[in-house]
Amino acid sequence: MQKIIVDLGERSYPIFIGSELLAQSHLIPMNINEGRVVIVTNTVVSPLYLEKAKSFFSDRSCSQVVLQDGESFKTLETINVIYKFLLEGKYDRKTTLVALGGGVVGDITGFVAATYLRGIDFVQVPTTLLSQVDSSVGGKTGVNHELGKNMIGAFYQPRCVIADTSVLSTLPQRELKAGFAEVLKYGLINDLDFFEWLDSNSSELLQKEPALMTSVIKRSCEIKAEIVAKDEREAGARALLNFGHTFGHAIEAAMGFGNVLHGEAVAMGMVMAADLSLRVGWISSSEAFRVRQVLENNFQLNIVPPDKISVEQFLEFMASDKKTENNILKFILLHAVGDAGISSEIPINLLRATLGAGSSLCED
Ligand code: NAD
Ligand code: GLY
């Protein structure tokens, strides 16, 4: 088992990574309250892992809320369903919520934990690759609004993250590939060696080779933990973790939440960001092409944004991005593969060229 600490002073917490961790109930953090536990999960994950998770917390009174599955349920209406369950059950401040599921369940549960009775403990038990490498770590919680992705939320850290790699055995291949988009992000923004290692091992990784999966999750969490420890509330460096997301969030919103997976939209967005990096002169065409090639060929990700999203629609959705300040949209671009930076004041003609490039993204 691997253990990484997210170092945030008194709110520091461990991330445990390894196989069959849900069979190891001694991992329950000492610093969570001794009150009742409520597991929040969904209709897909509960038949697979709810009983295991309940036995993990068998030393406490444990109940569950089972949500509908999918990004389209990441809404304030769903939050209200959980509030109602907790209030009707008279759950008090010593309650601990457990998010058992992918990033959707994790983001929803974290937001309820942040706001119910002004804040109660929560634990992340991520069950998708994407949630194990990204969304369960760092304390971003929240839901979508029809006018924008993740627009309602809070920074609120879990007490612990338990990333049991065994649960990935049931993860559909499409979801696995979407998770690799966020893994590749860490290489692209921060670690050329990691990107090259991913490039060389892509076929074994797409077959979920267990030792490699643990290494991937560990390295991804290390990079995220280091950035979050420096900049928990995204005043600076944490914005680099949003590489590809300004474009990706617009794609998710324009296509209707749930139709393009988050990781799929991020993959398209990262290729668009590489294309824009090329247009502003930060990277060479061979570097931009390499980004496209590794995502498209090695990790079998679709990197072409849906052509039904017009340039004007892109601009409209991107205008409400959380990185917009004084109407100036900031972009995370590449100085090189493995080194990202924050740019503002992108000439609008270059941005429009990227938004309208379609399948010619990153091509000479
Ligand atoms: P998801 O939560 O929708 O899970 C994907 C699908 O896999 C769902 O149908 C889910 O029920 C199913 N599933 C989960 N675990 C499974 C398993 N072990 N076996 C079989 N099926 C399983 O999607 P996701 O990709 O995990 O997360 C995407 C969400 O995460 C988005 O809402 C995104 O905005 C958010 N996100 C948040 C952060 C953050 O920092 N908070 C970071 C990245 C992404
Ligand atoms: N997924 C981006 C972040 O956590 O900051």
Side-chain angles (χ1 to χ4, degrees), residues 134-135 137-138 140 155 182 185-186 224 228 234 238-239 241-242 245 262:
D134 192 352
S135 60
V137 175
K140 278 190 183 174
F155 287 98
E182 296 280 16
K185 174 188 78 179
Y186 293 115
K224 181 150 189 184
V228 168
E234 204 168 298
R238 185 165 182 169
L241 292 172
N242 294 325
H245 285 55
H262 176 71

Side-chain angles (χ1 to χ4, degrees), residues 42 44-45 48-49 69-71 74 101-105 107 127-128 130-131 134-135 137 140-141 149-150 167-168 170-172 175 182 224 238 262:
N42 71 24
V44 170
V45 177
L48 297 169
Y49 302 113
D69 178 49
E71 183 76 29
K74 193 173 146 180
V104 169
V105 165
D107 283 9
T127 61
T128 61
L130 187 141
S131 56
D134 192 352
S135 60
V137 175
K140 278 190 183 174
T141 73
K149 171 88 181 161
N150 292 338
V167 304
L168 299 178
T170 53
L171 191 68
E175 298 292 347
E182 296 280 16
K224 181 150 189 184
R238 185 165 182 169
H262 176 71

Side-chain angles (χ1 to χ4, degrees), residues 34-344:
E34 285 173 5
R36 293 190 282 173
V37 164
V38 177
I39 299 176
V40 181
T41 185
N42 71 24
T43 49
V44 170
V45 177
S46 79
L48 297 169
Y49 302 113
L50 180 60
E51 283 317 310
K52 263 191 165 179
K54 281 185 112 166
S55 53
F56 188 87
F57 290 100
S58 59
D59 65 330
R60 292 146 202 252
S61 147
C62 184
S63 52
Q64 69 275 342
V65 181
V66 180
L67 306 174
Q68 304 272 16
D69 178 49
E71 183 76 29
S72 59
F73 292 97
K74 193 173 146 180
T75 59
L76 283 172
E77 287 73 32
T78 302
I79 297 289
N80 207 24
V81 169
I82 307 174
Y83 287 153
K84 196 160 178 270
F85 175 90
L86 295 172
L87 289 166
E88 284 177 353
K90 303 205 174 355
Y91 284 88
D92 64 17
R93 282 193 165 141
K94 296 237 184 275
T95 306
T96 296
L97 299 186
V98 175
L100 175 71
V104 169
V105 165
D107 283 9
I108 290 171
T109 308
F111 186 64
V112 173
T115 47
Y116 182 69
L117 305 182
R118 300 202 178 89
I120 58 175
D121 284 352
F122 87 113
V123 170
Q124 289 271 19
V125 183
T127 61
T128 61
L129 177 61
L130 187 141
S131 56
Q132 295 189 345
V133 298
D134 192 352
S135 60
S136 64
V137 175
K140 278 190 183 174
T141 73
V143 294
N144 301 324
H145 188 277
E146 61 185 19
L147 296 183
K149 171 88 181 161
N150 292 338
M151 282 297 159
I152 317 293
F155 287 98
Y156 194 70
Q157 301 294 342
R159 290 289 178 174
C160 140
V161 180
I162 298 167
D164 183 342
T165 54
S166 318
V167 304
L168 299 178
S169 63
T170 53
L171 191 68
Q173 204 63 8
R174 182 180 173 195
E175 298 292 347
L176 183 80
K177 287 193 271 175
F180 273 116
E182 296 280 16
V183 171
L184 288 158
K185 174 188 78 179
Y186 293 115
L188 286 169
I189 63 169
N190 185 277
D191 188 342
L192 174 60
D193 291 345
F194 185 44
F195 185 75
E196 292 189 329
W197 181 86
L198 293 165
D199 182 2
S200 316
N201 291 286
S202 56
S203 36
E204 293 83 354
L205 288 166
L206 287 177
Q207 287 163 36
K208 308 180 197 166
E209 207 285 302
L212 294 188
M213 293 308 285
T214 301
S215 302
V216 157
I217 297 164
K218 176 172 182 265
R219 183 66 195 130
S220 301
C221 288
E222 278 170 358
I223 294 174
K224 181 150 189 184
E226 194 179 319
I227 293 176
V228 168
K230 279 192 213 141
D231 179 24
E232 183 183 5
R233 297 178 77 89
E234 204 168 298
R238 185 165 182 169
L240 300 180
L241 292 172
N242 294 325
F243 177 62
H245 285 55
T246 301
F247 298 113
H249 284 169
I251 293 169
E252 284 186 85
M255 295 304 289
F257 292 118
N259 290 317
V260 179
L261 301 181
H262 176 71
E264 293 172 335
V266 167
M268 295 169 193
M270 292 194 296
V271 173
M272 295 176 86
D275 183 88
L276 188 56
S277 309
L278 168 63
R279 289 178 200 274
V280 297
W282 282 27
I283 58 173
S284 65
S285 57
S286 62
E287 286 177 295
F289 188 67
R290 185 169 183 210
V291 175
R292 173 182 176 140
Q293 208 184 20
V294 173
L295 269 64
E296 191 175 34
N297 297 351
N298 297 27
F299 284 90
Q300 299 164 23
L301 286 155
N302 177 11
I303 48 90
V304 181
D307 57 11
K308 66 192 237 191
I309 311 177
S310 67
V311 170
E312 299 313 318
Q313 256 185 310
F314 258 118
L315 290 170
E316 196 180 317
F317 278 108
M318 285 165 47
S320 57
D321 187 274
K322 292 187 288 306
K323 288 183 291 304
T324 305
E325 280 173 16
N326 302 324
N327 282 330
I328 296 175
L329 193 58
K330 292 194 234 165
F331 283 91
I332 314 306
L333 300 182
L334 295 179
H335 291 297
V337 173
D339 180 17
I342 303 173
S343 151
S344 47

